């Protein structure tokens, strides 16, 4: 079970979140509250929650400074910030500082639940990564075989390192891992439940969504930043996945 800290200087916001979110269904057993960043930091030190949902515009200590402070104390804590469009610059800084996600005001029940589910998924992925890393470290140095979990760690690192690389392909990845392309293709499907191409498109679209919300970059600039060679392909893929074009998505977020 997990612990959650809600930080907002508007009590009605916290009451609303408490009333419409089914914390038990999300495996959240304890929910703490704070009305400003300084108080939240003290609660964090005392209870060490797994997740934090905080307003970015708060008295005494804003959400960004608070996020930086708690990340320095517990780097694996998952944080999401609630912000207005006027605070996009803060949001960009927050992403660079290690904040995991954010949502634009006004927020709905669906927004909060989806955000919490994302944070939980990231926490579970991180836990799995740590476990996999331990397994890999325990492998004998002179072994001639590496199991699937070891390959997944290496694959994930290559993907993260090459997210913006337009030349990154299954063949490229196979060369980095010293595997045949055909073997890697079947291995990737077994590890991820989808093809390499499907996984990369979905991952790049998620990165594009964050850039649409957190920057003023044009679509062609975002396409370049996340590894799409053709901005039109990004737009078509984005609309297929999210039912909105990139520009429509950005405009809707500003409403």
């Amino acid at each position: 079970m997990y612990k959650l800290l809600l930080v907002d200087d508007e009590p009605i916001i916290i009451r609303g979140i408490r009333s419409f979110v089914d914390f038990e269904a999300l495996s959240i057993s304890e929910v703490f509250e704070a009305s400003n960043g300084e108080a939240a930091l003290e609660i964090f030190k005392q209870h060490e929650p797994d997740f934090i949902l905080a307003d970015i515009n708060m008295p005494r200590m804003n959400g960004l400074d608070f996020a930086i402070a708690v990340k320095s104390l517990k780097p694996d804590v998952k944080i999401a910030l609630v912000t207005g469009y006027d605070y996009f610059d803060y949001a960009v800084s927050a992403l660079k500082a290690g904040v995991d996600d954010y949502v634009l005001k006004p927020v709905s029940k669906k927004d909060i639940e989806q955000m919490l589910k994302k944070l939980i998924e990231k926490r579970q992925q991180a836990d799995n990564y740590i476990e996999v890393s331990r397994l890999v470290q325990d492998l004998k140095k002179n072994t001639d075989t590496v199991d699937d979990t070891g390959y997944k760690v290496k694959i994930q690192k290559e993907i993260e390192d090459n997210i913006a690389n337009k030349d990154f392909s299954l063949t490229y990845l196979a060369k980095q891992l010293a595997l045949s392309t055909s073997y890697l293709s079947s291995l990737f499907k077994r590890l991820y439940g989808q093809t390499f191409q499907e996984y990369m498109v979905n991952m790049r679209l998620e990165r594009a969504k964050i850039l649409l919300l957190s920057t003023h970059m044009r679509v062609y600039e975002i396409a370049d930043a996340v590894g799409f060679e053709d901005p039109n392909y990004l737009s078509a893929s984005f609309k297929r996945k999210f039912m909105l074009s990139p520009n429509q998505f950005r405009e809707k977020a500003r409403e």
Side-chain angles (χ1 to χ4, degrees), residues 123-167:
R123 168 62 184 268
Q124 291 171 341
Q125 288 175 346
D127 290 344
N128 290 338
Y129 183 86
I130 291 171
E131 183 61 28
V132 168
S133 297
R134 286 173 181 166
L135 289 171
V136 173
Q137 289 171 3
D138 289 339
L139 290 172
K140 293 181 180 179
K141 292 182 180 180
N142 61 349
T143 186
D144 292 326
T145 60
V146 180
D147 60 11
D148 286 357
T149 55
Y151 274 125
K152 190 167 185 178
V153 172
K154 293 181 179 180
I155 289 171
Q156 202 60 46
K157 183 179 185 304
E158 289 294 331
I159 289 173
E160 291 293 337
D161 290 345
N162 288 279
I163 192 68
N165 182 3
K166 298 180 182 64
D167 296 323

Side-chain angles (χ1 to χ4, degrees), residues 199-248:
Y199 183 85
M200 289 304 301
V201 168
N202 286 330
M203 188 170 185
R204 283 167 166 158
L205 288 175
E206 289 295 334
R207 296 292 175 88
K209 185 171 69 170
I210 290 176
L211 291 176
L212 283 166
L213 291 174
S214 62
T215 75
H216 297 290
M217 294 169 67
R218 297 179 182 275
V219 173
Y220 74 87
E221 294 173 319
I222 292 175
D224 184 66
V226 299
F228 279 99
E229 193 164 353
D230 182 0
N232 292 325
Y233 181 56
L234 164 62
S235 296
S237 301
F238 194 96
K239 188 167 186 178
R240 213 164 27 242
K241 182 175 176 67
F242 300 113
M243 308 305 293
L244 294 168
S245 71
N247 287 327
Q248 288 171 335

